[in-house]
Amino acid sequence: MRDVAVVGFAQTPCVRETDGTTNGVEMLVPIFQEVLGGLGLTKADIGFWCSGSSDYLAGRAFSFVSAVDAIGAFPPVAESHVEMDAAWALYEAWVKLQCGEIDTALVYGFGKSSAGQLRRVMAMQLDPYVVTPLWPDSLGLAGIQARMGIESGLWDERDMASVAVRSRAAAMSNPLAQLSGTYDVDELLASDYVADPLRRHDCAPITDGAATIVLAAGDRARDLCDRPAWITGFEHRVDSPSFGARDLTTSPSAVAAGKAAGADGVEVAELHAPFSHQEILLRQALGLGDIVINPSGGVLAGNPMFAAGLARIGEAARRVHDGSASKVLGHATSGPLLQQNLVCVMEGRE
């Protein structure tokens, strides 16, 4: 296996709505300039480009092709795309680097959630025969999962509110966060439900945004970054799409991905948990114990669809880059109710 590391990361501010188009170009051009400029690279130095987005979110077929305009027409590039969170595009780029054909790759993801009715759009990922025709929205489904966990004694509404309080407090040090501030658990618990037992603070906000990561292999990584975040474990697994065939109070795919990636001993974890109870569930599934979770604020502070998982890996890598942690974990999820889970473990080397 080749040594591959995250050497660069950039993301847009997480905002409720942008004026740009759904193809992401307006969001991507500035962060491409930021991440490449910070590494002293040009577009011609990138061996492979890979993106993650959704045509359903954009409202038209092959929307990712328009996003390639952010790269530019010249020089020609090798490019690929996944119809899911860009964390899976990162996995594809990592595999490409393992093949030895390239030494650098740039991965990006983007989403303009404000362009449509997100709760309705998300229903399109469900079983097209027996579930989607009922049009259950994402908040309602998450409410069912949260209620099952409460009735099983795994968490309660106060535990969920505590996650939101900590996330928004952590986001105060993140200038790109959408939601931040100092809150009190009792204050949050006094608010109205949006999908019992979920309140608004339990749910990730609708967010427009994009993120990008640069990967490099071997000596190229050492040349580009003083302290690369070396990927020592990378795995993704998937559970059944049938809700009736799954125990929604746990996540076997997260358990398996965490074990395969070597999650033991991590000091910091960035978890892609769009609902407060899912952070509790993932902490248990990954066996994280009492460590720092989501120091960036996580997706409860800003949730750019199809870029949020990639951003979790980038935020975790930053802790290695700045020397504040030696072993970190970035997590991404896709599909309904934590159906698919990806774990990326990174370490610094002296």
Side-chain angles (χ1 to χ4, degrees):
M1 298 284 285
R2 298 182 80 192
D3 286 340
V4 174
V6 174
V7 296
F9 168 59
Q11 61 180 324
T12 65
C14 293
V15 297
R16 175 59 179 81
E17 185 175 1
T18 61
D19 295 328
T21 62
T22 58
N23 64 22
V25 170
E26 296 92 342
M27 294 187 286
L28 292 170
V29 169
I31 60 173
F32 284 175
Q33 292 177 336
E34 177 184 345
V35 74
L36 292 174
L39 296 171
L41 298 175
T42 67
K43 294 176 182 178
D45 295 318
I46 300 299
F48 179 60
W49 301 69
C50 198
S51 62
S53 66
S54 172
D55 287 345
Y56 285 97
L57 196 66
R60 62 180 183 275
F62 296 101
S63 62
F64 70 91
V65 176
S66 298
V68 178
D69 288 346
I71 302 174
F74 186 85
V77 300
E79 184 271 341
S80 185
H81 174 264
V82 299
E83 181 77 12
M84 57 198 311
D85 191 285
W88 276 263
L90 188 76
Y91 187 87
E92 180 178 339
W94 176 78
V95 171
K96 186 87 168 179
L97 283 157
Q98 293 298 332
C99 293
E101 299 177 5
I102 56 170
D103 291 324
T104 57
L106 188 148
V107 178
Y108 60 96
F110 61 93
K112 183 176 170 65
S113 302
S114 64
Q117 298 179 30
L118 184 61
R119 293 168 69 169
R120 187 173 179 86
V121 170
M122 296 300 287
M124 298 300 294
Q125 69 181 331
L126 305 174
D127 185 303
Y129 299 105
V130 298
V131 182
T132 297
L134 301 175
W135 290 103
D137 67 70
S138 54
L139 299 191
L141 290 174
I144 293 172
Q145 184 182 47
R147 175 59 62 191
M148 293 177 70
I150 290 173
E151 294 186 359
S152 298
L154 298 175
W155 55 75
D156 58 29
E157 293 180 32
R158 179 167 290 273
D159 295 331
M160 294 158 56
S162 296
V163 170
V165 167
R166 179 178 46 75
S167 295
R168 294 193 183 185
M172 293 176 68
S173 61
N174 179 2
L176 301 180
Q178 181 178 349
L179 300 176
S180 63
T182 302
Y183 293 84
D184 179 75
V185 169
D186 291 324
E187 174 189 358
L188 294 183
L189 290 175
S191 61
D192 295 333
Y193 292 116
V194 294
D196 188 354
L198 299 177
R199 297 174 172 85
R200 191 160 302 281
H201 61 262
D202 293 309
C203 311
I206 292 175
T207 307
D208 292 354
T212 182
I213 281 178
V214 173
L215 294 177
D219 290 338
R220 188 65 168 134
R222 298 180 185 93
D223 292 339
L224 292 171
C225 184
D226 292 336
R227 185 175 164 84
W230 298 102
I231 297 175
T232 57
F234 211 169
E235 188 69 29
H236 62 92
R237 300 289 176 87
V238 61
D239 294 319
S240 170
S242 173
F243 296 134
R246 294 164 55 191
D247 177 0
L248 297 180
T249 64
T250 187
S251 176
S253 60
V255 172
K259 288 182 178 179
D264 294 341
V266 299
E267 303 160 32
V268 176
E270 284 279 345
L271 302 181
H272 187 185
F275 300 94
S276 59
H277 69 276
Q278 291 181 347
E279 180 183 307
I280 302 171
L281 189 159
L282 286 167
R283 182 193 286 266
Q284 296 169 346
L286 294 171
L288 296 178
D290 187 20
I291 67 166
V292 177
I293 301 290
N294 289 342
S296 68
V299 294
L300 291 180
N303 184 35
M305 295 295 296
F306 302 98
L310 183 70
R312 304 281 65 73
I313 297 172
E315 289 284 4
R318 273 182 171 168
R319 312 300 161 179
V320 174
H321 292 163
D322 64 17
S324 60
S326 296
K327 185 174 183 179
V328 299
L329 181 151
H331 163 268
T333 190
S334 187
L337 304 183
L338 304 176
Q339 181 198 4
Q340 302 176 61
N341 290 277
L342 177 149
V343 174
C344 180
V345 175
M346 295 161 284
E347 298 183 29
R349 298 174 184 169
E350 300 304 328

